Amino acid sequence: MFHAHDGWYFERTPDGGVRILKRKNARPDAPVEAEIEIDAYVWASIVSHVSEQGDIAETFNQALKLHQGEDQ
């Protein structure tokens, strides 16, 4: 899992979604305080939304292709 900071961890799931969890502290074995799994389409929309161009069809499709490992 990727540790962003302050106990927030991210990992790609086998079906292309993203699992996000918050641990009590930054240690990878610390108790989990919160957890959510987001499907690939919602994740692409999040990435697209925070991009400079915003959540438009082009940025959404680029984010989805990048996340799914498809040729662009």
Side-chain angles (χ1 to χ4, degrees):
M1 296 190 88
F2 173 76
H3 178 239
H5 64 83
D6 296 332
W8 287 101
Y9 286 83
F10 297 77
E11 78 176 336
R12 186 178 192 282
T13 60
D15 65 354
V18 175
R19 179 175 169 227
I20 304 169
L21 59 87
K22 169 72 169 118
R23 294 193 177 275
K24 187 170 181 147
N25 59 49
R27 291 181 41 203
D29 60 345
V32 173
E33 293 183 333
E35 181 175 359
I36 187 171
E37 196 167 307
I38 300 171
D39 70 43
Y41 295 97
V42 173
W43 182 253
S45 187
I46 292 167
V47 171
S48 175
H49 184 80
V50 299
S51 73
E52 186 175 353
Q53 293 178 335
D55 192 4
I56 59 175
E58 183 179 358
T59 57
F60 171 82
N61 289 328
Q62 288 174 342
L64 187 60
K65 286 179 181 179
L66 177 64
H67 183 69
Q68 299 295 65
E70 299 174 15
D71 291 335
Q72 294 193 11

